[in-house]
């Protein structure tokens, strides 16, 4: 690629090809920005001067509308914006890159986790601006939290297990649970790094169990044996030892050992001939323990299945209202369109936006606003047929999907009933709230044949309704677009 200074000089001096080459380089850089998978913004005097398509999409702004906006619009609050400035400014003024993770705000008010990297164009001159590179790391954060939670669960299981559990590699202790430490009289921090030989009464005993274990573990099978083992104070006791290699083809990946103190069981076995009745009692006790363990396992399986079902539900539904979210909404629209196409029917899409809902939040607080949204969701559900779908796509916006619609007039009648129902006062914690909706309606196939087009045109009709004063409905008209 040509050097930029020489190209600029040629352009200024009117040399042939100078302007074309400069324009080509500008187009190349614009293509890089437009196709980058991360958001890139250029700011000057705390205002956005330029951004790529990924940044606009990430923050939910139409392309081009971010230009001229203050940097504070990306932060959940003025305090958060001021705090970031306090932290970042000294770093940027030193000419160093600034790199942090924080929550930023989309245009619709929702927040998400970002990794933000920034660098001043010229640390000595703030007027030259700053470059920001922003990456959406919400999924990674959620994954990290899930992994941390899972690790805590596993650690809790290990810490509360009634059996001693240890992980070894190259005949060295790397980790053990509390029961193992208690069983052998070694604090876990002192046991880590010690050779496994120290829990055997002699070198011969250690070598003997090695001869038994090596071929079994090397074949990928589980070792299950009994051996005399030694505590830190030199006393010995009988143990049942279960072991399994992490990878039978690679000894370097280590081995898991589960150790059970069976000293009492050995004594019982020795007394079998003298106390048959005592043996039978112990067998019954053991059976009861196993039944309890099995019952607990079944409970855990049920709880895990319920948790998985809850996760699947949350992936497709709005947390506040329990209504389908946009992901499930698009699927329902596509299904309705597919059925309507085969049966030569219509599908109506209603885009509902609550008029002056922000005033409720500003005057009464977000809690009252959330309760009002839940009330609206209940009313909408009560007005629909079983085949209809009502979805909340964010803020105070709802979308209705009504398959098997006879005509535009029928869709209008339903919208009129929606207006009448939603206009009734809502009694919420002593507040009688009256709120009207603005409704836009699009029809398949008249106004579009795919979900995004139908949603967009219903949104457009709703916007026209709101421009006209709200509290009404309007069918999409192509000549108004």
């Amino acid at each position: 690629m040509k050097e930029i200074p020489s190209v600029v000089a040629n352009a200024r001096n009117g040399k042939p090809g100078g302007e074309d080459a400069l324009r080509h380089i500008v187009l190349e850089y614009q293509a890089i920005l437009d196709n980058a998978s991360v958001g890139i913004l250029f700011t000057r005097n705390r205002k956005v001067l330029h951004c790529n398509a990924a940044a606009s999409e990430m923050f939910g702004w139409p392309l081009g509308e971010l230009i001229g906006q203050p940097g504070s619009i990306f932060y959940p609050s003025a305090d958060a914006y001021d705090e970031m400035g306090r932290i970042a400014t000294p770093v940027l003024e030193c000419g160093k890159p600034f790199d942090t993770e924080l929550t930023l705000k989309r245009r619709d008010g929702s927040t998400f986790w970002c990794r933000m990297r920034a660098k001043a164009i010229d640390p000595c001159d703030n007027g030259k601006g700053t470059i920001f590179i922003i990456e959406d790391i919400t999924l990674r954060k959620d994954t990290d939290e899930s992994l941390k939670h899972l690790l805590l669960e596993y650690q809790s299981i290990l810490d509360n297990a009634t059996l001693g559990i240890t992980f070894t590699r190259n005949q060295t202790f790397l980790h053990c649970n509390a029961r193992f430490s208690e069983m052998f009289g070694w604090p876990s921090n002192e046991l880590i790094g010690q050779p496994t030989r120290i829990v055997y009464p002699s070198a011969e005993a250690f070598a003997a169990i090695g001869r038994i274990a090596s071929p079994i573990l090397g074949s990928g099978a589980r070792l299950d044996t009994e051996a005399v083992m030694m505590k830190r104070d030199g006393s010995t006791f009988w143990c049942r030892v279960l072991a399994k290699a992490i990878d039978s083809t690679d000894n370097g990946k280590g081995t898991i050992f589960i150790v059970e103190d069976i000293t009492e069981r050995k004594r019982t076995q020795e007394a079998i001939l003298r106390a048959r009745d005592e043996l039978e009692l112990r067998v019954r006790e053991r059976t009861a323990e196993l039944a309890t363990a099995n019952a607990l396992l079944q409970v855990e399986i049920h709880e895990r299945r319920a948790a998985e079902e809850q996760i699947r539900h949350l992936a497709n539904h709005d947390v506040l209202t329990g209504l389908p979210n946009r992901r499930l909404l698009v699927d329902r629209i596509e299904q309705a369109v597919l059925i309507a196409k085969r049966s030569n029917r219509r599908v109506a899409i209603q885009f509902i936006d609550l008029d002056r809902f922000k005033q409720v939040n500003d005057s009464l607080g977000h809690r009252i606003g959330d309760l009002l949204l839940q009330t609206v969701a209940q009313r909408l559900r009560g007005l629909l047929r079983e085949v209809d779908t009502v979805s909340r796509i964010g803020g105070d916006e709802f979308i209705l999907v009504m398959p098997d619609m006879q005509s535009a007039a029928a869709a209008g009648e339903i919208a009129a009933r929606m207006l009448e129902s939603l206009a009734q006062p809502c009694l919420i914690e002593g507040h009688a709230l009256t709120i009207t909706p603005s409704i836009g309606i699009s029809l398949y196939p008249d106004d579009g044949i795919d979900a995004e087009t139908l949603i967009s045109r219903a949104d457009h009709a709703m916007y026209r309704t709101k421009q006209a004063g709200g509290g009404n409905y309007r069918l999409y008209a192509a000549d108004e677009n």
Side-chain angles (χ1 to χ4, degrees):
M1 183 179 290
K2 297 179 180 179
E3 292 293 326
I4 292 177
S6 64
V7 173
V8 174
N10 288 339
R12 288 177 176 171
N13 296 328
K15 291 185 178 181
E19 291 185 1
D20 290 341
L22 181 59
R23 187 179 298 109
H24 181 69
I25 291 174
V26 170
L27 290 175
E28 286 180 348
Y29 278 106
Q30 187 62 46
I32 292 172
L33 290 175
D34 289 343
N35 291 279
S37 60
V38 295
I40 303 174
L41 297 101
F42 173 55
T43 68
R44 184 182 293 156
N45 298 326
R46 296 191 172 188
K47 289 187 177 180
V48 178
L49 289 189
H50 187 68
C51 71
N52 66 348
S56 293
E57 180 180 356
M58 185 180 300
F59 288 99
W61 285 78
L63 191 63
E65 290 192 17
L66 274 177
I67 306 306
Q69 297 287 351
S72 59
I73 65 169
F74 301 118
Y75 292 81
S77 66
D79 290 341
Y81 179 60
D82 294 340
E83 178 65 13
M84 182 52 58
R86 186 185 64 79
I87 298 172
T89 300
V91 178
L92 297 174
E93 288 179 348
C94 293
K96 297 178 180 178
F98 180 72
D99 192 340
T100 188
E101 293 180 359
L102 74 167
T103 55
L104 294 178
K105 183 179 71 173
R106 298 186 181 93
R107 187 181 188 183
D108 63 7
S110 61
T111 58
F112 63 108
W113 271 99
C114 295
R115 180 185 179 190
M116 183 172 73
R117 286 163 285 183
K119 196 167 192 306
I121 301 298
D122 184 349
C124 299
D125 185 357
N126 292 335
K128 290 185 178 179
T130 306
I131 294 293
F132 290 87
I133 298 177
I134 300 173
E135 179 184 2
D136 186 342
I137 60 170
T138 303
L139 180 60
R140 193 197 79 193
K141 281 285 187 180
D142 291 343
T143 302
D144 289 346
E145 288 300 318
S146 297
L147 288 175
K148 288 178 183 178
H149 184 68
L150 187 60
L151 287 174
L152 289 174
E153 286 183 347
Y154 286 159
Q155 188 62 49
S156 178
I157 291 172
L158 288 177
D159 290 343
N160 292 281
T162 58
L163 302 176
I165 303 172
T166 185
F167 172 56
T168 69
R169 184 185 294 153
N170 299 326
Q171 297 185 351
T172 301
F173 289 110
L174 293 186
H175 185 68
C176 70
N177 69 343
R179 176 57 181 152
F180 192 91
S181 297
E182 177 187 350
M183 190 180 296
F184 287 90
W186 283 85
S188 58
N189 61 329
E190 293 185 25
L191 188 63
I192 304 309
Q194 296 280 3
T196 54
R197 156 72 181 83
I198 63 173
V199 295
Y200 292 88
S202 65
E204 292 76 12
F206 180 63
I209 198 166
R211 288 192 295 270
I212 297 171
S214 293
I216 296 174
L217 298 177
S219 69
R222 185 184 70 174
L223 172 70
D224 189 345
T225 189
E226 296 178 356
V228 176
M229 305 192 79
M230 184 176 69
K231 299 181 181 181
R232 187 179 189 182
D233 62 7
S235 61
T236 59
F237 63 112
W238 273 97
C239 294
R240 181 188 178 192
V241 180
L242 294 91
K244 188 96 167 41
I246 302 297
D247 185 347
S248 59
T249 62
D250 185 358
N251 292 334
K253 291 185 178 179
T255 306
I256 294 291
F257 285 88
I258 300 176
V259 181
E260 179 185 6
D261 185 345
I262 60 169
T263 303
E264 189 61 30
R265 193 180 75 189
K266 280 289 185 179
R267 291 173 182 169
T268 302
Q269 290 174 348
E270 293 171 358
I272 278 182
L273 295 177
R274 300 188 304 272
R276 289 184 178 275
D277 292 341
E278 182 181 351
L279 175 60
E280 291 175 358
L281 175 61
R282 291 188 177 276
V283 170
R284 287 196 297 271
E285 291 174 348
R286 185 61 174 166
T287 301
E289 291 175 2
L290 291 174
T292 301
N294 183 64
L296 292 173
L297 179 60
Q298 293 301 319
V299 170
E300 182 179 349
I301 291 172
H302 175 75
E303 291 175 348
R304 286 184 179 273
R305 286 177 178 171
E308 290 170 357
E309 182 62 30
Q310 178 68 8
I311 290 171
R312 284 193 292 270
H313 178 82
L314 291 176
N316 291 297
H317 291 80
D318 174 49
V319 175
L320 177 64
T321 63
L323 297 178
N325 59 16
R326 188 181 185 92
R327 175 181 175 184
L328 184 55
L329 167 70
V330 171
D331 182 67
R332 294 282 176 84
I333 295 176
E334 290 173 349
Q335 291 180 24
V337 166
L338 187 62
I339 295 171
K341 185 177 181 181
R342 291 198 295 260
S343 60
N344 197 24
R345 297 279 189 169
R346 283 185 171 86
V347 178
I349 305 298
Q350 288 194 16
F351 198 114
I352 300 175
D353 184 277
L354 303 182
D355 299 331
R356 296 173 295 280
F357 175 77
K358 184 176 182 299
Q359 295 179 8
V360 175
N361 275 341
D362 292 344
S363 61
L364 300 178
H366 287 279
R367 169 177 167 76
I368 300 299
D370 289 346
L371 293 175
L372 177 57
L373 289 174
Q374 291 172 346
T375 301
V376 170
Q378 291 173 358
R379 289 191 181 180
L380 291 175
R381 274 194 296 248
L383 292 170
L384 298 181
R385 304 167 297 176
E386 289 185 359
V387 296
D388 298 336
T389 297
V390 55
S391 167
R392 177 176 177 243
I393 62 171
D396 58 343
E397 295 178 338
F398 299 83
I399 291 182
L400 278 58
V401 183
M402 294 174 289
D404 198 24
M405 189 59 52
Q406 299 293 330
S407 64
E413 291 175 2
I414 295 174
R417 291 202 299 270
M418 297 289 176
L419 289 169
E420 182 180 357
S421 175
L422 295 181
Q424 298 302 313
C426 301
L427 186 60
I428 299 175
E429 294 190 354
H431 300 282
L433 304 177
T434 301
I435 190 164
T436 59
S438 293
I439 302 176
I441 304 172
S442 65
L443 292 170
Y444 165 88
D446 310 64
D447 303 324
I449 60 173
D450 61 85
E452 291 303 328
T453 301
L454 290 168
I455 291 173
S456 175
R457 291 183 172 174
D459 184 13
H460 178 79
M462 180 279 295
Y463 179 72
R464 291 293 189 184
T465 304
K466 194 169 283 292
Q467 279 185 320
N472 208 334
Y473 71 89
R474 179 184 293 255
L475 295 166
Y476 172 77
D479 57 355
E480 293 182 352
N481 192 356

